[in-house]
Amino acid sequence: PSRPACHRVAVIGDSLMDNARWYLSSGLGQAGYSFVIDAQHSRRIPESVRVPYSGVIAARQVRSTWGDADCWVIALGSNDLIYGGGASGIAASLIESMLTSVTPGSSIWWVNLDYHRDPEFSFDFVGATSTFNAALRTRAAVDANLTVIDWYSLAESHREWFFDPVHVDTIGSRARAQQVVDALGHPPE
């Protein structure tokens, strides 16, 4: 059976979503959603990270101040890669902790990652990205409420959008926002 359409949408994200905030607000508004966007530069997932940098705490705060949402968009993970999020077990644990912080029974869309080689670090961001995205796919395969938004494939087909190893320009931010709005029009099955 198909899931019900979204009415109240909560978005929790990092700098990529913060950079796309204006376009996302416009798109969600035009689509008729009631929504809140909580995006913060340098945001990670764990509850152990201080406010406002914890995605788990941000989701709980949205629920306590704005109320429960029937649909959630999570755009986190890039800032967790170097802190262990590139290891499959840790990635799975981070994903689980985020999923348990949103409204129970809600539909969830998670925007996957695209992080390129960073010449300033010896860390393998490309490999860590692949591992995190695989953990997301694995979880989505067994969770009917979770759908992965494939930012990775879209962004990789437009490498010209990137102005550093992870952030994109205005054109990329607009495309990212539109990809999210389009995905919400197709509830998980």
Side-chain angles (χ1 to χ4, degrees):
S2 63
R3 307 253 332 139
C6 299
H7 300 286
R8 292 175 54 83
V9 178
V11 180
I12 305 293
D14 56 21
S15 58
L16 285 162
M17 198 53 77
D18 191 42
N19 293 345
R21 180 190 304 265
W22 190 88
Y23 307 109
L24 185 58
S25 293
S26 177
L28 291 172
Q30 288 176 10
Y33 298 115
S34 173
F35 65 92
V36 62
I37 299 171
D38 187 325
Q40 170 67 45
H41 286 257
S42 302
R43 179 169 280 157
R44 295 179 51 213
I45 296 170
E47 181 178 16
S48 61
V49 180
R50 68 182 168 86
V51 173
Y53 302 104
S54 165
V56 167
I57 294 173
R60 290 178 185 155
Q61 287 177 336
V62 163
R63 290 179 67 194
S64 70
T65 59
W66 187 71
D68 281 323
D70 50 11
C71 295
W72 289 78
V73 175
I74 309 299
L76 295 172
S78 294
N79 295 310
D80 293 292
L81 296 177
I82 203 163
Y83 295 100
S88 60
I90 294 172
S93 177
L94 288 169
I95 292 163
E96 178 64 24
S97 68
M98 193 66 216
L99 294 177
T100 59
S101 68
V102 304
T103 307
S106 60
S107 296
I108 305 159
W109 285 259
W110 195 308
V111 182
N112 70 6
L113 313 182
D114 191 8
Y115 207 127
H116 300 138
R117 184 182 167 281
D118 189 335
E120 295 182 24
F121 296 91
S122 60
F123 183 78
D124 180 13
F125 283 101
V126 174
T129 295
S130 178
T131 300
F132 189 92
N133 287 346
L136 266 179
R137 283 191 309 274
T138 297
R139 178 55 193 261
V142 297
D143 187 340
N145 291 335
L146 177 61
T147 298
V148 176
I149 297 175
D150 191 10
W151 167 247
Y152 177 85
S153 294
L154 177 61
E156 279 298 298
S157 67
H158 293 282
R159 297 286 294 259
E160 72 276 8
W161 292 344
F162 287 84
F163 61 84
D164 71 15
V166 69
H167 298 99
V168 294
D169 63 14
T170 302
I171 296 169
S173 291
R174 186 178 298 132
R176 183 179 175 89
Q178 189 61 54
Q179 186 182 37
V180 168
V181 173
D182 290 347
L184 288 172
H186 306 282
E189 296 180 8

